[in-house]
Amino acid sequence: KPETDSGMFVPLDKVQTFIKSTMFGVYGSNLLTGPFEENLRDILQGILIMRESLNHPQLNPKTPIALVTGGGPGAMELGNKIAKELNILSCAKIVDFTQKNGMIVNEQRQNPYVEAKMTYRLDKLVERQAEFNLDFPIFVTGGIGTDFEYSLEEVRRKVGSVKATPILLMGSVEY
């Protein structure tokens, strides 16, 4: 993708969509889909409707939308599923959690809604986060992994390695 130091494996017929897209992201638990499916669908549908009447460099009728998750089950699967339903390019930055004994943990299961992806070894977890290259991250209720990713997104904004962009937090008030 232009102006980034990373990319994904993308189906040939979707390469231009990927290159030109404003990148949204959904972070959340691999165990929970939570009560936010309707809200997330409303947000993404609203963005698609809103961009049709805007002339912003990132939101306009000529700029496609892509959605990136970690590619696993739970909230990530929900995000990728909604993206596919809305004809938004569905992407994933997957972590290979394979253990030395060959066991696969739940986070490893790739959801069936991913169209474009990149896979990272576990020791490249921080590099993976830096390569999400999101214009608009959305965080839903999650656990320690989601909190870790949220912290890294905030640090990237604080130190100026990415532009200051909105971060949407979805969940209970306690979360």
Side-chain angles (χ1 to χ4, degrees), residues 12-73:
L12 290 175
D13 63 327
K14 298 190 182 222
V15 169
Q16 287 306 309
T17 298
F18 175 77
I19 288 171
K20 296 176 181 177
S21 287
T22 295
M23 305 300 278
F24 286 75
V26 173
Y27 296 96
S29 172
N30 73 86
L31 301 173
L32 305 171
T33 55
F36 45 79
E37 181 172 358
E38 185 177 338
N39 291 339
L40 186 55
R41 183 174 280 106
D42 288 347
I43 288 168
L44 293 174
Q45 283 177 325
I47 289 165
L48 290 173
I49 292 166
M50 183 175 62
R51 78 182 179 129
E52 292 304 316
S53 62
L54 293 177
N55 189 22
H56 186 277
Q58 292 179 307
L59 290 175
N60 63 70
K62 293 182 180 179
T63 303
I65 302 293
L67 184 117
V68 184
T69 73

Side-chain angles (χ1 to χ4, degrees), residues 70-91:
M76 297 171 281
E77 184 168 346
L78 183 62
N80 290 123
K81 177 184 174 199
I82 293 170
K84 290 262 313 196
E85 289 172 359
L86 297 176
N87 201 28
I88 294 171
L89 180 61
S90 180
C91 307

Side-chain angles (χ1 to χ4, degrees), residues 26 76 111 123 173:
V26 173
M76 297 171 281
N111 76 64
D123 64 333
V173 173

